[in-house]
Amino acid sequence: AIIWPLACCLWLLLLLPLRVRSQCVDTGEPGCRHPAEVGLPQRYCLDPTKYWLCSALGQGATLKECQANTGFDQDLNACVPWPAWVWQPCIEPPSRPPGTTPC
């Protein structure tokens, strides 16, 4: 009599991982494949004190860090003092590195 409830619980536990989706982690890394990206700082979506910079077309972006007590403002494409910084959703870059799937 006790086996049936245990079997049902075990069955549900086996199906649970099929329904759980992993969270997408998107850094917003640009692909540096569009001329507009070269030399233009772009937000690093996981840390507001950092930003991406494409130095040349077709080369990977470099992760840079803002000066102390500043955060990257994607509207100004520059690091600003914390009192002036406002959180905003990340903007999709003009291109992505090959094989990257945005969230």
Side-chain angles (χ1 to χ4, degrees):
I2 197 165
I3 294 174
W4 178 248
L6 289 175
C8 288
C9 289
L10 180 60
W11 183 73
L12 287 174
L13 288 174
L14 290 173
L15 289 179
L16 185 62
L18 297 175
R19 294 180 179 229
V20 175
R21 300 182 79 189
S22 62
Q23 183 178 2
C24 182
V25 177
D26 190 351
T27 63
E29 181 179 1
C32 303
R33 299 187 293 161
H34 192 281
E37 293 175 301
V38 177
L40 179 70
Q42 296 180 66
R43 181 176 169 187
Y44 176 70
C45 295
L46 301 180
D47 183 346
T49 66
K50 297 178 182 173
Y51 60 93
W52 294 107
L53 188 62
C54 296
S55 57
L57 202 59
Q59 293 184 357
T62 304
L63 190 59
K64 303 280 189 173
E65 195 164 340
C66 292
Q67 295 176 346
N69 301 316
T70 64
F72 187 77
D73 184 316
Q74 66 187 9
D75 289 339
L76 300 175
N77 292 321
C79 297
V80 298
W82 283 119
W85 185 85
V86 177
W87 182 89
Q88 296 178 0
C90 279
I91 298 172
E92 182 68 22
S95 74
R96 290 290 193 138
T100 302
T101 304
C103 295

